[in-house]
Amino acid sequence: MSQFYILPNKTKRVYLSENFDPLNKNDVKEVIAKLNADIPNSFKSAGDWYGLFHEASCAISEAQTILELDLYFDTKNTEAEAKLNDFEENILSPLLIARSDLMDIYMSSPWRNAMHTYDNGRIFTDFKIRRKFTNQKISLLQIEENQHIREYKKFVNAAKTKFDDRILPISVVVGKLNDNDPKIRKSAFFSYWNFVKDNENFYQDNFSALLENRTKQAQSVQAKNYIEVAFSELGRIDYGEKECKELRDSIHRASLPLIEKLAFGQKESLQTNSIKPWDISIYPKLMPEKKPVNGDLEKLVLSMQNITSKIHPSFGKLFHEMKANNLIDISPRANKAAGAFCVTFQESKVPFIFANFSGHFRDAITFVHEFGHALHGYAVSNINNILLRHPGFEFCEVASIGLELLASPFFTAWWNNKSDAKKALAFQLFHMLHFWPFMAMMDEWQHVIYSGKETGDAKQRNKAWQNISKKYRPQVDWSGCEEFEELGWMSRPHIFTSPFYYIDYGIAQVGALQLWKQSRENYQQAVHNYISGLSLGAQCSLQDLFTATGLSFDFSEKMIKDLCSEIEKVIEDVS
């Protein structure tokens, strides 16, 4: 157990032995064997079988979370790295191989509806799609895929480059791309992209290995291509490639005109004649003059307590509980991993927020974002079925991005100057507007690459990205740094670690912006709807989750245009 957090006493296990050790491969094998042997043959045995599956899944998930956090706390902890590698080899690998048999038992059982509370057929539908793309051969390939992903993560976590005569972690240099000083932004841009260029062979080789592996995965289950496999792994049962294209097209048609319109004021504010790649998401006139609470991390935590309490008193109470139990770790330390995320300990039923903040604007917004995930973790903890807690990334991100915007009326807790607080919302919306086209680029590029249309080598991949970049970011002037544009796909870990997990953020923004629009008309009702949607977990479809939150699951050009119009009003009011 790490010294960085305190977990509550776990609920007494009912179906799983209290002595079960999720890190002991023999204990795990014994549970797998029992689930395979004790096939349900009565109402009671059905409940017992699923109860064992649920409790073992929670225990194993929590063990994995603890091991991963230990390595995030100290990336040079070789003991933690060895334990995680051992876990993946001896625990996760056998589970991957066993899952097809367990899905078959569940789907073929006449006692299925007696296993757990009614779920509108969600688990069966999900399993049916996953099972189509699951067999022992693909499981072995996925074990191999995880090895390539580990190599990528190890490289990125250790990556450092020269900046301002100092050797700094890549994550620190990337953070400087949001600096108010254009000279620092430009310097950070060249520092980062020269590093990527110098290490292009690693990125290309690692992705080539992943692409080859993922192509083999598709072939092993006779899928049309890897896109089908990826969508099944992500549990996408409520929308598909057609809807992804609709959203990308709507973003292209509806958001680009506004971005190009705002570019005139943006260039004036930047005092430049063009938008350079290090200025894409920078609009000085919209940026608060000071850092939130002047960059003081202790005050940032205190102000978060204030903000969350104002959104809803119960949110403030949960934030206080997390703080009291050291379930929030945002301060930088030597060897601490970069990034920010929230995880939930599935057996202990509490979330944990991890970050490496330095007190900038993005840190404050990210803090609220991750607490939105934490609220979601609390909200679904009462659902006594691990497969019905996580509704899919699309709605999980509504929880986080939605809370960012629900917090905006209380930004004065971060910026005493009301003008700065007003600017902060406008700048956040400006970021969201610019994120949509980049998200579309990420999604479209992956669809091109994994469709197998002559994109197998490095040059073709780079050319495909460059073409898509010019389509979605025509306002950007790459002169003087043309060699870097084609490498843009290497800038996000999702391409390597979580294929096709990016459009989820774009879908979530469609929901979160609708929630923000609601809140401007009736704040209390919007918060009520937010709570209602989060509490459902994965017990209903994505469309129904949006409906329960008072939102429309709508990717049309009209929807994107309407939301862009709301964004424009706020930006124009400030600029």
Side-chain angles (χ1 to χ4, degrees):
M1 187 65 64
S2 168
Q3 76 249 30
F4 294 111
Y5 54 84
I6 303 167
L7 294 179
N9 294 327
K10 296 171 187 171
T11 305
K12 184 177 174 62
R13 293 169 178 168
V14 177
Y15 305 97
L16 187 66
S17 168
E18 291 291 347
N19 295 321
F20 172 78
D21 180 2
L23 300 180
N24 186 309
K25 63 182 180 181
N26 292 323
D27 282 10
V28 174
K29 284 181 180 178
E30 186 178 325
V31 168
I32 293 172
K34 185 173 177 59
L35 288 169
N36 276 312
D38 295 350
I39 296 175
N41 58 13
S42 67
F43 295 114
K44 185 179 184 306
S45 64
D48 291 345
W49 186 90
Y50 197 85
L52 177 62
F53 168 81
H54 165 76
E55 290 187 353
S57 297
C58 288
I60 293 168
S61 171
E62 182 157 315
Q64 181 178 5
T65 297
I66 290 169
L67 290 175
E68 289 176 342
L69 281 175
D70 284 343
L71 195 55
Y72 274 102
F73 291 141
D74 182 1
T75 57
K76 293 188 176 181
N77 186 337
T78 54
E79 182 182 351
E81 184 179 11
K83 284 182 178 179
L84 184 57
N85 289 340
D86 182 73
F87 178 83
E88 290 181 350
E89 180 180 347
N90 295 308
I91 306 299
L92 291 188
S93 296
L95 287 172
L96 267 175
I97 293 169
R99 68 176 184 166
S100 56
D101 290 335
L102 297 181
M103 284 192 281
D104 286 343
I105 292 171
Y106 178 88
M107 289 191 296
S108 63
S109 177
W111 310 97
R112 185 174 62 251
N113 288 335
M115 291 183 181
H116 51 74
T117 53
Y118 184 61
D119 67 338
N120 297 295
R122 297 294 296 172
I123 295 175
F124 180 83
T125 304
D126 183 39
F127 276 8
K128 188 177 179 181
I129 295 173
R130 289 179 189 268
R131 184 65 184 92
K132 181 181 176 183
F133 302 118
T134 305
N135 59 29
Q136 187 163 356
K137 190 172 182 181
I138 196 174
S139 295
L140 294 172
L141 285 165
Q142 287 168 338
I143 292 168
E144 178 188 296
E145 177 191 20
N146 287 337
Q147 292 171 349
H148 295 308
I149 291 172
R150 280 203 303 272
E151 289 170 8
Y152 168 81
K153 287 181 175 179
K154 188 173 183 178
F155 172 81
V156 171
N157 285 336
K160 293 184 178 181
T161 191
K162 189 175 182 180
F163 176 82
D164 195 23
D165 295 326
R166 292 181 296 163
I167 301 299
L168 297 175
I170 282 292
S171 59
V172 175
V173 176
V174 170
K176 294 181 183 298
L177 290 170
N178 293 312
D179 199 277
N180 286 12
D181 187 332
K183 291 181 180 179
I184 291 176
R185 288 198 304 274
K186 183 177 179 179
S187 179
F189 174 87
F190 280 98
S191 176
Y192 172 72
W193 284 106
N194 277 317
F195 170 86
V196 174
K197 186 71 176 176
D198 291 344
N199 291 277
E200 182 182 359
N201 285 343
F202 171 83
Y203 289 102
Q204 295 283 10
D205 290 348
N206 184 265
F207 185 77
S208 290
L210 286 166
L211 180 61
E212 181 182 356
N213 173 281
R214 290 164 181 166
T215 300
K216 287 179 180 177
Q217 287 186 41
Q219 293 168 348
S220 74
V221 291
Q222 298 180 320
K224 180 177 67 175
N225 51 42
Y226 179 70
I227 299 170
E228 288 189 328
V229 177
F231 275 42
S232 73
E233 287 293 319
L234 290 166
R236 288 185 181 165
I237 61 179
D238 298 315
Y239 68 98
E241 293 180 63
K242 179 183 175 183
E243 288 77 15
C244 290
K245 185 178 186 305
E246 180 188 8
L247 180 56
R248 294 197 307 267
D249 290 346
S250 294
I251 287 169
H252 186 256
R253 289 192 295 264
S255 72
L256 262 63
L258 176 57
I259 288 171
E260 292 183 330
K261 178 181 177 182
L262 293 174
F264 292 102
Q266 185 184 4
K267 284 183 283 188
E268 183 181 334
S269 184
L270 286 163
Q271 297 181 337
T272 59
N273 296 320
S274 64
I275 306 294
K276 304 299 285 187
W278 51 87
D279 289 332
I280 293 172
S281 57
I282 300 296
Y283 197 146
K285 206 168 185 179
L286 303 183
M287 298 165 72
E289 292 181 12
K290 294 184 178 179
K291 294 179 180 180
V293 288
N294 295 316
D296 187 316
L297 292 184
E298 288 187 13
K299 289 181 179 178
L300 187 66
V301 174
L302 290 173
S303 61
M304 267 291 287
Q305 178 71 70
N306 183 7
I307 289 171
T308 54
S309 297
K310 286 182 176 178
I311 298 171
H312 195 281
S314 68
F315 295 177
K317 183 179 179 182
L318 291 173
F319 184 86
H320 176 76
E321 288 178 9
M322 290 186 70
K323 188 158 61 77
N325 290 304
N326 294 328
L327 293 168
I328 297 172
D329 178 22
I330 64 167
S331 298
R333 293 187 299 276
N335 303 326
K336 185 180 179 183
F341 58 82
C342 177
V343 292
T344 298
F345 298 99
Q346 291 296 337
E347 194 170 28
S348 299
K349 299 181 179 180
V350 293
F352 181 92
I353 293 174
F354 175 96
N356 215 334
F357 290 158
S358 56
H360 292 287
F361 172 85
R362 292 308 311 167
D363 292 342
I365 301 299
T366 300
F367 202 177
V368 182
H369 180 103
E370 299 307 336
F371 185 65
H373 286 308
L375 286 176
H376 209 177
Y378 277 121
V380 301
S381 64
N382 291 330
I383 299 174
N384 199 30
N385 186 336
I386 192 169
L387 297 182
L388 295 178
R389 288 178 180 170
H390 194 300
F393 296 117
E394 303 88 352
F395 197 76
C396 288
E397 298 302 337
V398 171
S400 55
I401 301 172
L403 196 71
E404 293 176 22
L405 296 173
L406 288 176
S408 61
F410 313 113
F411 279 175
T412 48
W414 286 332
W415 294 278
N416 290 329
N417 184 321
K418 289 184 178 179
S419 175
D420 269 358
K422 195 174 180 180
K423 285 181 179 180
L425 172 60
F427 192 43
Q428 171 64 357
L429 293 172
F430 182 76
H431 266 270
M432 294 177 74
L433 176 66
H434 276 266
F435 173 79
W436 260 334
F438 184 76
M439 176 282 300
M441 290 163 62
M442 289 279 287
D443 192 67
E444 188 163 320
W445 183 83
Q446 290 183 91
H447 274 87
V448 168
I449 297 301
Y450 287 106
S451 65
K453 297 174 182 175
E454 299 181 359
T455 50
D457 65 36
K459 286 184 179 179
Q460 290 169 330
R461 290 197 287 267
N462 288 358
K463 183 62 177 175
W465 179 269
Q466 188 176 49
N467 291 339
I468 292 168
S469 173
K470 293 186 184 306
K471 172 183 173 181
Y472 285 98
R473 283 180 163 176
Q475 83 282 9
V476 179
D477 174 15
W478 285 88
S479 59
C481 49
E482 295 91 344
E483 62 183 323
F484 300 133
E485 182 179 14
E486 65 178 19
L487 305 180
W489 62 271
M490 300 177 191
S491 67
R492 294 297 183 274
H494 306 70
I495 294 286
F496 299 86
T497 65
S498 313
F500 292 95
Y501 170 32
Y502 213 73
I503 198 168
D504 314 64
Y505 294 110
I507 293 171
Q509 278 197 180
V510 174
L513 285 165
Q514 288 181 72
L515 183 70
W516 167 67
K517 187 178 177 182
Q518 275 183 39
S519 73
R520 288 157 67 84
E521 297 163 1
N522 187 330
Y523 190 84
Q524 287 186 333
Q525 184 61 51
V527 173
H528 175 88
N529 290 344
Y530 176 79
I531 293 169
S532 176
L534 263 58
S535 304
L536 289 170
Q539 296 174 110
C540 57
S541 70
L542 187 55
Q543 289 86 343
D544 287 343
L545 287 173
F546 268 61
T547 300
T549 317
L551 315 173
S552 296
F553 192 73
D554 182 355
F555 299 165
S556 69
E557 182 180 350
K558 181 182 183 305
M559 170 59 78
I560 304 301
K561 191 172 183 178
D562 288 348
L563 295 175
C564 285
S565 177
E566 294 297 318
I567 290 173
E568 183 179 12
K569 290 175 188 175
V570 174
I571 291 175
E572 283 189 339
D573 187 44
V574 172
S575 63

